[in-house]
Amino acid sequence: MPRVAIVTQHWGSRPDELTEMTRLVAGALARHATVEIVHLLAPPEPPRTSVDSVFRVHQVPLHGARPLRASILRAALGTYDRGRNVPARAATILHDLEGSAPDVPDLLAELAPDAVVLAGHHQPWDVRALGARGARGAPRVVVLPCTADGSTLRSAPVARLLDRADVAGAAHSGERRALEAATAGAVEARDLGLGVGVNRSAAANRLFGVRFFGAYVLIIRSFPPGGSRWGRSVTHDVLRSTLGDISVAEVDGDTWRIGDKENTLELPVSPSRVNLWRLMAHAIATVDLRPPGPVGRETIESLLLGTPVVVPEESAAHEHAADAGGGLWYRNDGELIDSVRALSDRRLRDRLAVQGKRWADRYHGDMDDFVERMRVLVLGDSSSTP
């Protein structure tokens, strides 16, 4: 079998979308290749190799990384022009705050992979060690930047990755367009079409106590537990007060509840993805109140279950909802409330549900198609199936 090395900072059990996406891609590739994970780890620990399911994980120390400082600097830059024009000095500081993983090239030389997947745009090592694109003996390089931010894609560190890439993978159509614009079409960008499985049989069973509250809207404030969360957003009580007889279920990390005008029930369930599907499947709509993520996985899952979505504008979730015709999006709290009210109209809701489910089934619901798509993306059209 061919050998694939995935170089990433996103592995393990961290509750973030990039880790989930990396594991989905790795799992699909494992059907056709031996997959080695090169995990850049900060704070740095001594190099070691371990086994995680079917993968060998090579832990590589990441020195000098300061992710919190980098996030604060990006947020500060974004207050002016949303980070579109980052000064050269600031870009240099951001690059330095990413740290350095000088051991990666030697490890890749030892592994001698047929293909290298760079999962995530933070790759603080010298990609020139992979050789020139198309050079004899050089591995095929696939970049999964996981950002639709044009300023990030045009930054010097990410531009170097794309200059070496044979192909780039996009988590959604907005990212594909951003990649095409940033590289002026010099690098082919393809939609990943992540295979997202939902257990419809399990989702058919309502959570205990939910039926008492009748029709409800599901709002996601934080999921999975430990994930990102806004300090302030539309409250459970404010949203419920605008919806008449419609109840509101809320997922907020480890705390799940549902309430109507008179009663509130704390849901005594584990904050698992299966239980989230059970709430999604029977909701009028899924409303995402979280800071936008790079993948929009829960939006895809809701559409697969036939539940329309209300999501923040200029996000991965927004791209999915627009492509699917399966939901509405908002710029502020007023538009959020208006969108949820609009979905109380059953005719609109049913139309969005049918359109969204049809799109999600076609582009994200077939795992065999996803496995084949990853094989072609990473190993090339001419690679043989074992």
Side-chain angles (χ1 to χ4, degrees), residues 195-326:
V196 178
V198 296
N199 188 331
R200 290 184 172 88
S201 296
N205 300 314
R206 292 176 183 258
L207 294 179
F208 176 78
V210 168
R211 190 182 300 275
F212 171 81
F213 290 86
Y216 65 89
V217 166
L218 169 63
I219 62 176
I220 305 177
R221 200 175 298 280
S222 175
F223 184 86
S228 59
R229 184 187 192 280
W230 290 122
R232 298 178 62 184
S233 61
V234 172
T235 67
H236 181 280
D237 293 333
V238 167
L239 189 57
R240 188 178 60 199
S241 69
T242 68
L243 296 177
D245 295 330
I246 298 174
S247 301
V248 175
E250 180 179 47
V251 169
D252 189 0
D254 292 313
T255 303
W256 294 26
R257 61 175 175 161
I258 187 169
D260 57 19
K261 291 180 179 179
E262 299 179 354
N263 304 286
T264 298
L265 172 67
E266 297 286 340
L267 296 172
V269 297
S270 63
S272 68
R273 192 165 292 277
V274 172
N275 283 332
L276 181 69
W277 296 338
R278 287 170 173 153
L279 280 179
M280 278 182 175
H282 303 281
I284 287 175
T286 298
V287 183
D288 197 336
L289 299 181
R290 298 170 298 173
V295 177
R297 174 172 178 169
E298 284 73 32
T299 293
I300 296 171
E301 290 173 336
S302 187
L303 296 176
L304 283 168
L305 291 167
T307 302
V309 296
V310 177
V311 296
E313 192 172 79
E314 295 187 353
S315 65
H318 173 195
E319 297 293 341
H320 298 320
D323 289 345

Side-chain angles (χ1 to χ4, degrees), residues 1-5 33-34 111-116 137-141 166 378-379:
M1 296 177 72
R3 185 180 302 275
V4 174
T34 299
L111 294 175
D114 300 282
V116 175
R140 179 177 171 86
V141 176
D166 291 276
V378 174
L379 299 176

